[in-house]
Amino acid sequence: MNDTSLFAPRRVKKTLPQKLMELNWLFVLLIVAIACVGFAMLYSVGGGSFDPWARQQAIRFGAIFILMLVIALVDLRIWFQLAYPAYIAR
């Protein structure tokens, strides 16, 4: 038996609900609240209409918000493994 295997950190596979519970939901809600204030301001500037700016901003925010959640749910070790190749490819 290899002695180093005794001291190696164990990788525990977490399910999606477990990963979601680990997110800082207060921070996520704060981001959403700030975005909603921005939508309200754009709605007001647009004369009570979502069309000029607020709709586009809401669509962009929704897409980036989903991307943010996906990035947050990926294991940190994967980002560490991709850091040097991404830096070299830059």
Side-chain angles (χ1 to χ4, degrees), residues 25-40 61 65:
W25 285 105
L26 180 62
F27 185 63
V28 172
L29 290 175
L30 182 63
I31 291 171
V32 171
I34 291 171
C36 287
V37 169
F39 301 149
F61 175 75
F65 184 75

Side-chain angles (χ1 to χ4, degrees), residues 1-6:
M1 182 154 104
N2 190 357
D3 289 334
T4 59
S5 66
L6 295 174

